[in-house]
Amino acid sequence: MFALIGVVGIVILILIVMWGILPLLASSSTMDASMIEIGDKLKKARRELDYAPAIQREYDDAVRQMANIRSENILRPILGSYLVGVSEQIEAVARTARVRIDEIREVGVVNLPAMKKSSSLQDFKSFVVQVSTDGPYDALILFMQQMEDRNPFFCVSDIAIACQPDSPEMQRLTVRMEWLIEPRVEVKKGGGT
Amino acid sequence: MHINLILDEERRSTSPVSLGLIIRLAVIVVSVLAIVGIFSFFAAFRSLQYQVSSMDDEWRRIEPNYKEAVRVRNDLAERTATLNGIKGWRDSRIAWGKQLGEFQLIVPAVVQLTDLRVSQTILSLSNNISARSFEMRIAGKTAAPQSEANVVQFLDAFKQPPFARDVESAVLPPGSFRQDPVSKTDRCFEIICKFVPRALE
């Protein structure tokens, strides 16, 4: 009788192990792996969230700086023309510096020099004009200085200063000026209106 | 004489602990241990299940904030790269107004400049970085008697402040120092100044 109970007990034990414990063991090893995975993700996420306020501040600062540059330093077209704004500005500075503008010739929109494809400035181009002007050397220098002071993101890429044989105190300045522009933003803005 | 009053199989141990008792006790102990083991296994499994589920809940709660933080970080990296690119563009320029103002101060009084040209070329530096390189060509003339000393003095001025930091080299190209074809009392010359390249990014 006692042996029979023992045999039944062993059979029940085997059944419990086979149908209960072994599947749960397999499931618990899966859960262990999943717990490690979630634990790693949580650790990473908590670390990221610890830095989040500082990153958010840096982000807000970068957005503000970019917005300032966009509004103050990136040339905007007036009714699709960059030349109108540029000419106005050049003529205003020329009046202050007392030089005579002879010609403002649009060279056009050109790619930024040799920027690699992955460059962060892919969206930017430069608008180039060639300006010819006459005046005394000091006035021409003042003209250039004022243009550069007004436009921190403006570049002069070529300059030619030559004496005028008939009036030695007067010089002729031909200068190639480049303004940073962001055509895609203009297209987006244009498309939205 | 030896007489067996009982058969061998009828013999009983005199010990109070019999084999049957040990087996019964062993069965009871093993059964209790098995039951305790099974219960503790189930308890551990339930606890693991609970831990996984609570971690999963926490992940679900934290995930949107985490994704947003990662997006902000990536966006920041992109914007910072653009900002640095724009600042690189700005910093690569030479403020020619100021430069030409200072240039005026180093021209000896006895030298008359006839032509000044600045041209830009784009160089490719290592690491795929481009740079602006400026070359300034100056043409002028000076009176014959002290012409050589005047030109050398002018040339040397590019090695002194404020030009020393920006000018990489200033040379008189061979054959450029010669008799002025128009006035026999003057000599004309040409100087080529190369400025230190400025990286664009």
Side-chain angles (χ1 to χ4, degrees), chain A residues 98-166:
Chain A
R98 294 177 187 281
V99 296
R100 188 179 65 82
I101 298 293
D102 203 32
E103 186 192 20
I104 300 171
R105 186 171 62 80
E106 178 174 342
V107 176
V109 173
V110 298
N111 288 329
L112 296 187
M115 289 289 180
K116 56 188 179 198
K117 250 195 162 176
S118 60
S119 165
S120 51
L121 291 186
Q122 275 184 77
D123 292 344
F124 293 86
K125 292 186 184 296
S126 66
F127 177 70
V128 184
V129 293
Q130 186 159 304
V131 180
S132 303
T133 168
D134 299 306
Y137 188 85
D138 286 336
L140 295 176
I141 299 307
L142 182 65
F143 168 70
M144 296 260 291
Q145 275 176 355
Q146 288 193 357
M147 285 300 296
E148 283 166 340
D149 290 347
R150 278 188 176 205
N151 304 281
F153 289 82
F154 146 99
C155 287
V156 168
S157 53
D158 286 288
I159 304 168
I161 301 176
C163 289
Q164 303 224 30
D166 47 335

Side-chain angles (χ1 to χ4, degrees), chain A residues 4-191:
Chain A
L4 187 66
I5 291 169
V7 169
V8 170
I10 287 169
V11 168
I12 289 170
L13 200 65
I14 289 171
L15 289 177
I16 289 172
V17 168
M18 277 179 65
W19 288 344
I21 294 179
L22 286 182
L24 287 184
L25 266 178
S27 167
S28 81
S29 68
T30 313
M31 275 198 290
D32 270 337
S34 131
M35 197 166 85
I36 290 170
E37 191 193 332
I38 299 173
D40 286 347
K41 285 201 289 189
L42 280 173
K43 206 170 153 188
K44 205 171 151 189
R46 284 193 201 110
R47 207 172 39 227
E48 184 71 43
L49 291 172
D50 282 346
Y51 289 117
I55 294 208
Q56 186 66 48
R57 276 195 297 277
E58 270 184 60
Y59 176 83
D60 293 342
D61 188 46
V63 168
R64 187 183 46 73
Q65 278 189 54
M66 201 66 219
N68 277 350
I69 290 173
R70 281 202 169 103
S71 66
E72 305 282 327
N73 305 122
I74 305 286
L75 183 67
R76 298 259 165 264
I78 299 172
L79 294 177
S81 166
Y82 290 106
L83 189 62
V84 175
V86 163
S87 302
E88 264 179 20
Q89 198 181 128
I90 290 172
E91 275 158 14
V93 173
R95 272 194 299 278
T96 318
R98 294 177 187 281
V99 296
R100 188 179 65 82
I101 298 293
D102 203 32
E103 186 192 20
I104 300 171
R105 186 171 62 80
E106 178 174 342
V107 176
V109 173
V110 298
N111 288 329
L112 296 187
M115 289 289 180
K116 56 188 179 198
K117 250 195 162 176
S118 60
S119 165
S120 51
L121 291 186
Q122 275 184 77
D123 292 344
F124 293 86
K125 292 186 184 296
S126 66
F127 177 70
V128 184
V129 293
Q130 186 159 304
V131 180
S132 303
T133 168
D134 299 306
Y137 188 85
D138 286 336
L140 295 176
I141 299 307
L142 182 65
F143 168 70
M144 296 260 291
Q145 275 176 355
Q146 288 193 357
M147 285 300 296
E148 283 166 340
D149 290 347
R150 278 188 176 205
N151 304 281
F153 289 82
F154 146 99
C155 287
V156 168
S157 53
D158 286 288
I159 304 168
I161 301 176
C163 289
Q164 303 224 30
D166 47 335
S167 57
E169 75 283 1
M170 296 292 275
Q171 323 283 324
R172 181 168 183 77
L173 168 75
T174 307
V175 60
R176 187 180 153 105
M177 299 171 166
E178 297 183 10
W179 273 266
L180 204 56
I181 58 169
E182 199 178 10
R184 267 203 214 172
V185 172
E186 302 312 327
V187 170
K188 276 182 209 161
K189 279 188 178 174

